[in-house]
Amino acid sequence: MTGDCVRWLLVYADERLGFHRMIQKLQDSRAVLLGAVAIFAIGLTTSGYALGDGLRRSKMAEHRSVTVRGVSERDVTADLATWSVTFSHRGPELGSVQQSVDEQARAVRAFFQRAGFKPVEVTDADVSLGHEQPTDNKGNPVGPRLVTVSRSIQLRTTDVMRARDAYTRQAELLRDGVEMSSSGVNFTFTKLNDLKPQMIAEATQNARRSADQFAHDSGTSVGRIKTASQGYFSIGARDGEECDDCGSSGGTTPYQKVRVVTTIDYDLG
């Protein structure tokens, strides 16, 4: 073999060795690249699962709540009584009608005085004048035109028990010639604001107890307050039915019950 052939073979072998080395490097680089892609895919999958699991847990936590109601009640006695007596008289002459109404007014005031009330506790509340023309079946005027005078006298007192007793004897007004068209007494408890702070606190505590009991029964714990509603204070008859929507202006009995309902929405732990 000549020297040129030997050199050619050496060059060819060297080139073949370089080619194999290049192929090996490419294969090694491909393996590294595939490994990096696999690691990235695993990381992306893991982070996606963690994010999804976090959102799922957050959504579950959002719906894990309980709404409870706390009630507070107080038996009270009204400290204000207002009693309005309305009466009237009708006739053809204003003078005679007015005279009759004045006599009835004096009879009402005398009744309150006999019951033990002070003159300053009795006041004129309202007076009105009306006219009416009687007619026959065909609508034709019959007889003189009639005049009606109506008047109201009001008793306002803090002696609620005296007012309650006097109200049971109002039939005496009829015997005294008072033509009553309406008569009604209203008893009011005016110290509600003094009770509100303590009752709200008690209703809130009762709501928390209910939430704790619910959480204990369901194997969880009570968290923060999400929403809270104080509710409406109602005043009704002490022996009447419970009512969340009753009014607060008083009633026909001095024995009353103050009630408030607080609604609270708690997170569960």
Side-chain angles (χ1 to χ4, degrees), residues 19-32:
F19 178 76
H20 283 295
R21 288 177 178 175
M22 182 180 66
I23 295 298
Q24 184 65 39
K25 288 182 179 180
L26 290 175
Q27 290 177 344
D28 293 342
S29 298
R30 181 182 180 188
V32 172

Side-chain angles (χ1 to χ4, degrees), residues 83-89 101 104-105 108 112 123-128 148-155 167 170 173-174 177-185:
W83 180 4
S84 294
V85 179
T86 301
F87 47 92
S88 63
H89 187 73
V101 171
Q104 294 181 61
V108 173
F112 285 136
T123 58
D124 283 290
D126 188 29
V127 62
S128 63
T148 301
V149 175
S150 297
R151 188 168 169 180
S152 294
I153 291 182
Q154 184 184 74
L155 169 71
Y167 188 70
Q170 64 177 320
L173 293 170
L174 297 176
V178 179
E179 303 175 32
M180 289 190 299
S181 56
S182 67
S183 173
V185 64

Side-chain angles (χ1 to χ4, degrees), residues 6-75:
V6 172
R7 285 193 297 272
W8 183 85
L9 289 174
L10 292 174
V11 170
Y12 177 77
D14 185 63
E15 290 178 351
R16 291 283 296 181
L17 179 61
F19 178 76
H20 283 295
R21 288 177 178 175
M22 182 180 66
I23 295 298
Q24 184 65 39
K25 288 182 179 180
L26 290 175
Q27 290 177 344
D28 293 342
S29 298
R30 181 182 180 188
V32 172
L33 180 60
L34 290 175
V37 171
I39 293 173
F40 176 76
I42 293 173
L44 184 62
T45 302
T46 303
S47 62
Y49 173 79
L51 178 61
D53 186 63
L55 292 174
R56 180 180 62 82
R57 292 175 178 271
S58 176
K59 197 67 175 177
M60 289 177 61
E62 180 181 347
H63 291 286
R64 287 174 59 84
S65 63
V66 60
T67 300
V68 292
R69 303 176 74 192
V71 180
S72 179
E73 295 179 336
R74 292 289 188 279
D75 288 339

